[in-house]
Amino acid sequence: MSSSSVSIQALHTFGLPVFAERVISAETQEQLCDAWQQAAQEQRPAILLGEGSNMLFLEDFSGWIILNRIKGINVRESEDFWHLHVGAGENWHELVCYSLEQNFSGLENLALIPGCVGSSPIQNIGAYGVELKDVCEYVDVLNLSCGDTSRIAAEDCQFGYRESIFKHQFREGYAIVAVGLILPKVWKPVLSYGDLRQLDAQTVTPKAVFDSVCEMRSSKLPDPKVTGNAGSFFKNPIVSAETAARILASDPNAPHYPQPDGQEKLAAGWLIDTCRLKGHRIGGAAVHQQQALVLINLDNATPQDVTALAGYVRNQVAARFNVWLEPEVRFIGRTGERNAVEVLS
């Protein structure tokens, strides 16, 4: 086996001291395919990386990191909508800023979400009442083995809460190369979460929503350029109505959001905070003081520090509430992705 010799500390937002055997930057579909196929021929593990904002490397990666850097934004107009065709390598927040500058509304609730556009459908990213599925028209997927591209309509992407077909059927051997977004010309603000509730729906502008979202995120969430983190570490758990009722009986102020299927979504950050875990530290990793849902690289953390902390948080929440949190972050082992729950169990 070749030794892992290239630092990838700067290629993921946790900023952990890990290495890979090789790093390749691909700016075209052809380059993506060539790199993937060459790795396969040489029997090397390979993973695709955008900006590494949702990755936890558990150890050195004994294969190739292929960076998806396909850029470009094309705009088409129809009677009622703006249609944006966006390369997977574009930065998500910069796309939100661009859309507002062009007077395309609808992405403002999703401001300051880290990562690339190509990663957005995988998690069905969401914030402040809007999810990617609400603005997605299609996703273009490249079969890395043969070079064929398929366009998958949004309704076929199996979008759910932090869930999509790209975590399953199109997880291995495929690359998202572009995302199609559809933004209505007649804008309807979504003001159902946080400080957005204080805005007046009759007079509010997209820029005001954008500014409010940026202010909320900046006040609660650490900048990964300053403090290593991968954003929300755990998913908000969706539990039965009975489980929610049991928790509300002892904690009436627990945030809860009814789901269409009769279940309830709980706030993972509140569950962690209620266990008094803000600031809790293991080695160089800590629970963020302002937002308990975020684990941070406080002081030269190792992957072992982060996983130990994540396991501790998970166990403390389970002991108090009998609810098991699941990581939202993807766990990457020596040869590829691993099941995060199994790693922490």
Side-chain angles (χ1 to χ4, degrees):
M1 183 190 296
S2 304
S3 62
S4 300
S5 58
V6 182
S7 173
I8 55 172
Q9 190 162 9
L11 297 178
H12 66 289
T13 58
F14 247 121
L16 301 175
V18 287
F19 291 78
E21 189 179 294
R22 187 175 175 190
V23 176
I24 299 171
S25 184
E27 297 178 5
T28 66
Q29 294 187 25
E30 292 74 23
Q31 289 174 357
L32 271 181
C33 284
D34 288 348
W36 184 268
Q37 291 170 15
Q38 189 182 348
Q41 286 166 5
E42 298 190 21
Q43 298 183 318
R44 308 309 306 142
I47 58 169
L48 298 173
L49 203 60
E51 294 182 1
S53 59
N54 199 48
M55 298 278 201
L56 173 62
F57 284 91
L58 303 174
E59 54 198 327
D60 291 343
F61 185 67
S62 68
W64 298 9
I65 305 279
I66 304 171
L67 304 175
N68 187 340
R69 296 292 182 256
I70 297 174
K71 298 287 184 73
I73 303 174
N74 295 304
V75 180
R76 180 174 60 83
E77 184 179 359
S78 62
E79 187 175 351
D80 298 317
F81 297 96
W82 299 104
H83 305 264
L84 279 62
H85 178 90
V86 189
E90 294 284 349
N91 175 273
W92 177 265
H93 179 67
E94 288 176 11
L95 170 68
V96 176
C97 295
Y98 166 86
S99 69
L100 280 177
E101 288 164 7
Q102 303 298 317
N103 292 317
F104 308 150
S105 311
L107 300 181
E108 53 285 331
N109 292 56
L110 304 175
L112 276 185
I113 293 179
C116 287
V117 169
S119 306
S120 63
I122 300 173
Q123 292 286 109
N124 182 28
I125 61 170
Y128 302 107
V130 175
E131 291 182 319
L132 182 84
K133 69 178 178 62
D134 301 322
V135 293
C136 182
E137 188 170 21
Y138 59 81
V139 177
D140 285 352
V141 177
L142 174 67
N143 184 325
L144 293 162
S145 300
C146 66
D148 291 343
T149 305
S150 307
R151 175 160 293 182
I152 304 173
E155 56 266 27
D156 297 323
C157 290
Q158 298 175 17
F159 286 129
Y161 173 61
R162 301 298 173 267
E163 185 60 76
S164 72
I165 198 171
F166 309 106
K167 285 189 168 184
H168 304 284
Q169 185 179 332
F170 293 105
R171 184 173 131 185
E172 289 292 328
Y174 294 88
I176 292 171
V177 291
V179 177
L181 302 175
I182 180 167
L183 304 178
K185 291 182 177 179
V186 177
W187 178 63
K188 292 179 183 169
V190 178
L191 307 174
S192 51
Y193 277 76
D195 294 349
L196 297 180
R197 293 192 186 101
Q198 299 169 17
L199 301 175
D200 184 346
Q202 302 304 313
T203 59
V204 71
T205 63
K207 181 68 165 60
V209 174
F210 172 88
D211 289 342
S212 182
V213 167
C214 289
E215 192 173 325
M216 283 188 286
R217 288 188 75 94
S218 299
S219 67
K220 293 179 183 175
L221 301 173
D223 182 348
K225 294 187 180 74
V226 180
T227 306
N229 72 91
S232 300
F233 196 92
F234 295 101
K235 298 177 186 176
N236 289 322
I238 295 175
V239 301
S240 67
E242 293 78 15
T243 297
R246 172 176 55 76
I247 291 171
L248 286 164
S250 56
D251 291 281
N253 296 324
H256 59 105
Y257 307 95
Q259 301 300 294
D261 58 3
Q263 298 190 102
E264 297 268 349
K265 183 194 290 184
L266 304 177
W270 182 89
L271 296 172
I272 298 167
D273 191 17
T274 303
C275 292
R276 304 196 171 199
L277 292 174
K278 276 183 180 172
H280 187 83
R281 180 171 176 175
I282 294 181
V287 179
H288 189 48
Q289 287 280 11
Q290 275 73 47
Q291 171 50 277
L293 195 50
V294 179
L295 306 187
I296 59 173
N297 178 355
L298 182 65
D299 182 19
N300 298 314
T302 65
Q304 293 75 23
D305 294 341
V306 179
T307 50
L309 180 63
Y312 180 81
V313 168
R314 193 168 178 265
N315 288 334
Q316 291 295 304
V317 169
R320 171 152 184 170
F321 296 104
N322 198 26
V323 172
W324 288 96
L325 298 179
E326 291 189 13
E328 183 176 318
V329 175
R330 298 170 67 190
F331 284 29
I332 308 297
R334 183 167 294 280
T335 59
E337 188 163 358
R338 294 183 56 190
N339 183 300
V341 168
E342 289 177 6
V343 171
L344 297 182
S345 297

